Amino acid sequence: GGAGPAFQAAPGRAMLVRGPLAFRGLPFFAPNALPGLSGVYALAAPAVPGPAGAASGDGGPASRTLPARVWFTRQQLYFGAGWTRGASGRYTVYSSTGGASGTVVLAFSTARYELLVELPRDDAGLRRFASALADSFELFFSEAATDADISFPAFVDYAP
């Protein structure tokens, strides 16, 4: 049926709901055949600022779930003019906005791999999820004996 996902996102905890899936052809770049893994996390929608006590009409801010798509590739990527370079901890981080869609893509770049996270909107809590995912994934990557053992963490805890 159409009852929807059994997982109810809680603020500060994201759950991998799809993946890892093998792909060829990384989005956000010119047509390519870059290989890697992809997945989707479900996150609780951050509360939208508004008048105190205002009724949301949808069961409250924690009842909404947002998707965050992720991609991993071992291929070194070229980040052109549409990307802004920054840093977060031990990562070089490139960001790109999705124009009218409001999405933001963060690319955590290391010497051994690239981890891209597409957030449904630019939000500090969602960015904290992306950073926590990058840190968790680094551990999964470093402990994988072969590429077949690489996965995404099932849960990612972060400060909403």
Side-chain angles (χ1 to χ4, degrees):
F7 172 70
Q8 179 61 54
R13 176 162 259 211
M15 179 179 166
L16 183 66
V17 294
R18 188 172 70 219
L21 303 171
F23 73 82
R24 282 207 174 275
L26 187 62
F28 316 113
F29 295 89
N32 63 78
L34 297 171
L37 297 175
S38 68
V40 176
Y41 281 87
L43 298 87
V48 177
S56 64
D58 65 352
S63 69
R64 290 190 44 238
T65 301
L66 296 175
R69 299 188 313 160
V70 299
W71 296 266
F72 150 80
T73 184
R74 282 190 179 270
Q75 304 299 310
Q76 290 301 124
L77 301 174
Y78 170 73
F79 296 93
W83 296 86
T84 303
R85 184 184 169 132
S88 176
R90 62 184 172 272
Y91 307 103
T92 300
V93 180
Y94 296 89
S95 62
S96 178
T97 57
S101 69
T103 63
V104 63
V105 179
L106 302 176
F108 295 84
S109 184
T110 75
R112 300 180 299 159
Y113 65 86
E114 311 279 355
L115 181 70
L116 285 79
V117 183
E118 182 184 31
L119 303 172
R121 64 177 183 246
D122 199 354
D123 173 271
L126 296 178
R127 283 180 177 257
R128 285 189 292 273
F129 155 73
S131 292
L133 172 62
D135 289 342
S136 294
F137 180 78
E138 171 65 29
L139 180 63
F140 277 61
F141 180 86
S142 64
E143 291 183 354
T146 68
D147 278 4
D149 297 325
I150 295 174
S151 185
F152 298 117
F155 293 94
V156 176
D157 292 319
Y158 63 99

